[in-house]
């Protein structure tokens, strides 16, 4: 009888402990995210209103300054592609985060960076740029060189329909209270492991572009099903908006394109180049 009662108590306690741990992780995420969105706004202030590019600096564009601990620039012999490390947003934001990687890699993402780098600083810099806890809405806020950003205003003498379709200045964003800048992220692109979803990735993809980009249902095993957005907190994601707000949002609310593109007018709005 005593053993049966103990077993019953354990069965009741384990789910409760899981919820407590999940809540504690969500609180850590929100606290870190609050610092990240504050840093993002400080960057824009320093740049006279120009927004932090999500991915910028691969040829033919010139790299922007990027730093790590003690304000040191990313070295030429960094693991992988130096241009790619610098092009990703994390180390261009690091000066506003005291050059402390713990602001960007929290919970399991920190262990992922450590696992991949194995104590090698050059690898740590590379994987730190790849696996921050939060992905950025790079296509619609700040621009992304790999997502049609920073293109010329005309091509062959004709207007470029993809020219400057994203928000590039803070003052130009009308719906600052709802536009997502960062959110909990995940990826299947694992440089040091295969066959699994890992929490943390630098880039988010919106639900719609020229057509749908997300699956109809959230898939725990496939990050692309949700544009790399992670609903790791009991079906919710930690989200930071342009105005500095931070909150946990149910995943389905992030399917609304009005949370991604300032010009979006409907839940399932798609970009129509003209």
């Amino acid at each position: 009888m005593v053993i049966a009662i103990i077993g019953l108590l354990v069965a009741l306690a384990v789910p409760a402990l899981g919820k407590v741990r999940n809540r504690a992780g969500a609180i850590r995420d929100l606290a870190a995210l609050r610092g990240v969105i504050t840093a993002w706004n400080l960057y824009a202030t320093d740049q006279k209103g120009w927004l932090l590019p999500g991915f910028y600096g691969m040829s033919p564009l010139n790299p922007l300054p990027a730093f790590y601990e003690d304000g040191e620039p990313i070295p030429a012999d960094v693991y992988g592609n130096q241009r790619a490390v610098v092009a990703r947003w994390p180390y261009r934001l690091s000066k506003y985060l005291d050059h402390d990687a713990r602001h960007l890699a929290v919970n399991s993402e920190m262990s992922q960076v450590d696992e991949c780098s194995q104590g090698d600083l050059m690898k740590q810099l590379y994987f730190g740029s790849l696996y921050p806890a939060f992905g950025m809405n790079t296509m619609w806020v700040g621009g992304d060189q790999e997502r049609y950003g920073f293109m010329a205003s005309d091509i062959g003498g004709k207007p470029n329909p993809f020219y400057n379709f994203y928000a590039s200045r803070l003052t130009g964003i009308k719906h600052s209270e709802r536009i997502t800048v960062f959110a909990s992220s995940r990826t299947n692109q694992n440089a040091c492991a295969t066959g699994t979803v890992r929490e943390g990735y630098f880039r988010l993809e919106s639900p719609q572009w020229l057509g749908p980009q997300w699956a109809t249902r959230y898939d725990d095993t496939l990050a692309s099903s949700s544009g790399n957005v992670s609903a790791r907190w009991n079906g919710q994601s930690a989200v930071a908006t342009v105005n500095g707000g931070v909150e946990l949002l149910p995943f389905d609310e992030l399917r609304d394109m009005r949370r991604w593109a300032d010009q979006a007018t409907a839940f399932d709005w798609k970009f129509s180049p003209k």
Side-chain angles (χ1 to χ4, degrees):
M1 180 66 72
V2 172
I3 293 174
I5 292 173
I6 292 173
L8 178 60
L9 291 174
V10 170
L12 293 172
V14 168
L17 286 172
K19 289 181 180 179
V20 169
R21 289 174 180 171
N22 191 278
R23 181 61 182 169
I27 291 172
R28 285 194 296 271
D29 245 22
L30 288 171
L33 187 54
R34 189 169 289 108
V36 172
I37 193 62
T38 298
W40 180 84
N41 273 287
L42 288 172
Y43 177 97
T45 299
D46 274 1
Q47 299 301 317
K48 296 180 171 54
W50 291 100
L51 300 179
L52 173 76
F55 189 90
Y56 180 102
M58 301 298 281
S59 181
L61 301 178
N62 294 320
L64 295 172
F67 306 95
Y68 67 109
E69 294 177 3
D70 300 321
E72 293 293 326
I74 303 299
D77 59 343
V78 69
Y79 176 82
N81 186 328
Q82 184 202 26
R83 274 288 188 99
V85 173
V86 173
R88 298 174 189 132
W89 62 266
Y91 294 118
R92 281 183 275 112
L93 201 60
S94 66
K95 67 174 283 189
Y96 303 96
L97 294 167
D98 300 321
H99 304 288
D100 188 344
R102 287 173 294 182
H103 290 287
L104 295 173
V106 294
N107 297 310
S108 63
E109 299 79 41
M110 180 65 82
S111 61
Q112 176 174 321
V113 173
D114 290 342
E115 177 186 340
C116 292
S117 58
Q118 295 293 306
D120 185 326
L121 174 61
M122 296 300 102
K123 288 185 177 181
Q124 186 175 355
L125 293 176
Y126 175 82
F127 292 114
S129 74
L130 193 61
Y131 296 137
F134 315 108
M136 185 178 176
N137 178 16
T138 60
M139 175 175 278
W140 298 104
V141 180
D144 187 325
Q145 186 181 354
E146 294 185 324
R147 300 295 186 271
Y148 302 96
F150 313 106
M151 299 179 71
S153 59
D154 64 85
I155 299 177
K158 296 182 179 180
N160 178 5
F162 295 101
Y163 173 66
N164 207 26
F165 65 89
Y166 49 90
S168 57
R169 291 186 65 83
L170 195 58
T171 54
I173 298 178
K174 297 178 182 178
H175 305 289
S176 63
E177 76 287 351
R178 75 184 189 206
I179 299 300
T180 298
V181 182
F182 300 102
S184 305
S185 60
R186 59 181 185 150
T187 184
N188 287 105
Q189 299 182 33
N190 300 306
C192 59
T194 57
T196 184
V197 169
R198 292 291 189 94
E199 294 298 324
Y201 192 60
F202 78 98
R203 175 190 284 137
L204 304 175
E205 307 286 0
S206 57
Q208 304 281 344
W209 168 230
L210 301 177
Q213 296 196 116
W214 290 14
T216 55
R217 298 182 62 183
Y218 185 87
D219 188 335
D220 288 329
T221 66
L222 188 62
S224 61
S225 69
S226 59
N228 300 327
V229 173
S230 173
R232 56 179 172 248
W233 307 122
N234 289 328
Q236 296 180 306
S237 303
V239 176
T241 49
V242 170
N243 68 348
V246 174
E247 61 183 327
L248 288 177
L249 281 180
F251 172 75
D252 283 343
E253 287 193 26
L254 287 171
R255 290 185 178 275
D256 189 339
M257 274 301 296
R258 289 169 293 191
R259 284 201 166 272
W260 296 84
D262 198 41
Q263 64 267 51
T265 55
F267 184 94
D268 58 352
W269 178 88
K270 302 175 182 64
F271 181 67
S272 300
K274 298 178 181 179

